[in-house]
Amino acid sequence: IKALTQKRKGKQKEKILCFKHPTIADDCIDAFNTLGYNVAAQAYPKTGSLPILIAKENPDYLFTINARPDIAEAAKALDIPYFFWTVDTPDYKLHSPSLIHHNIYAFVYDEAVIEKLKPLGFDNIFYMPVAANVSRLNAVSLSQEEENKYLCDLSFIGTLGEKKDR
């Protein structure tokens, strides 16, 4: 595995390995590409060795939506910085001791959660609100019929979190 993670010679762009998620991962991938990163998208493996899968991609960084202790452990073993953006509350995995490491960075949209986790040893935890891909959303056009059907003053899109959505 260590041989696979050696830095590539003549590499032009830093590579981020992004693990897919049904919420905003694709929008994050678009943003990373816009910022000039080389981005590889990967589904969470159902079987097999996570460190070997990561090592084969040879990324400079790992990224997920929400905390993934298994990816944190692989990142520590491979000495690859791992960052995640927590967009769900509660995210019980955020309380995993495996996420406390100098090379793991948490971005959380709830400042109260950050204040609870900092005293537990989370030095690399930062506030970042949930965002939207404005370019993608501005490209959406509705017919007058669709606008009449869906126009409202207030709406909710999401779940109550009672069931796992994976």
Side-chain angles (χ1 to χ4, degrees), residues 37 53 60 87 102 139:
Y37 289 94
L53 179 142
D60 297 291
V87 299
H102 73 277

Side-chain angles (χ1 to χ4, degrees), residues 24-137:
I24 61 172
D26 287 341
D27 289 334
C28 292
I29 290 169
D30 286 347
F32 295 143
N33 281 320
T34 299
L35 291 170
Y37 289 94
N38 176 14
V39 182
Q42 173 68 50
Y44 288 111
K46 297 191 189 302
T47 60
S49 173
L50 189 57
I52 291 173
L53 179 142
I54 292 169
K56 284 181 180 177
E57 285 291 337
N58 197 18
D60 297 291
Y61 308 98
L62 301 173
F63 173 77
T64 62
I65 297 295
N66 296 328
R68 293 291 304 217
D70 55 344
I71 292 177
E73 291 296 332
K76 287 190 279 189
L78 297 169
D79 194 29
I80 299 171
Y82 166 49
F83 59 105
F84 60 88
W85 188 5
T86 295
V87 299
D88 291 329
T89 299
D91 184 3
Y92 298 111
K93 292 177 184 173
L94 249 179
H95 299 278
S96 171
S98 65
L99 298 175
I100 300 172
H101 189 265
H102 73 277
N103 226 6
I104 298 175
Y105 302 85
F107 295 88
V108 181
Y109 79 94
D110 188 335
E111 291 175 306
V113 170
I114 293 170
E115 294 310 313
K116 288 179 184 175
L117 292 174
K118 276 189 176 184
L120 300 177
F122 280 84
D123 294 327
N124 298 326
I125 189 166
F126 307 95
Y127 172 72
M128 188 162 75
V130 177
N133 183 337
V134 178
S135 298
R136 179 179 55 82
L137 295 175

